[in-house]
Amino acid sequence: MPRLTIQVALESDIGLMRQRNEDLVLAQDLTSGDLHHEGDPLLEVGPGGALLAVLDGMGGTRAGDRASQLAGEVLAREVRAKGALSRDGL
């Protein structure tokens, strides 16, 4: 099955209260596990689909950025293990 190339734009904002952004913006090909890399607008997507997610950091707490990173890792691992939903599976 041919791969699809999608154009991805990722952005998050620190807001008005914080000094650093603790959010995680995730774009991943679920077939290969390849992650979208900042600066490259294209992501090749295989038949397994893509995972696109924004994970809100826990601003103001210790390791808030690590919390969003861990949540992203768990989300990506679980979605890859179980497979993405298709229109047929809804």
Side-chain angles (χ1 to χ4, degrees):
M1 178 176 259
R3 295 180 67 84
L4 174 70
T5 300
I6 60 173
Q7 187 170 359
V8 180
L10 308 174
E11 185 174 350
S12 180
D13 187 83
I14 66 170
L16 301 174
M17 303 287 295
R18 307 290 174 222
Q19 294 181 354
R20 66 186 181 134
N21 192 346
E22 297 182 346
D23 300 343
L24 174 70
V25 183
L26 178 67
Q28 183 178 38
D29 171 29
L30 293 173
T31 302
S32 67
D34 290 344
L35 290 171
H36 172 267
H37 296 285
E38 196 170 324
D40 181 6
L42 302 178
L43 175 68
E44 279 196 27
V45 179
L51 171 64
L52 306 171
V54 177
L55 296 106
D56 192 18
M58 297 175 58
T61 62
R62 278 190 278 172
D65 57 336
R66 185 67 183 129
S68 60
Q69 180 69 38
L70 281 172
E73 290 170 7
V74 170
L75 176 65
R77 182 181 65 235
E78 293 299 313
V79 170
R80 282 192 74 205
K82 292 177 175 48
L85 288 176
S86 69
R87 287 189 133 155
D88 298 333
L90 294 177

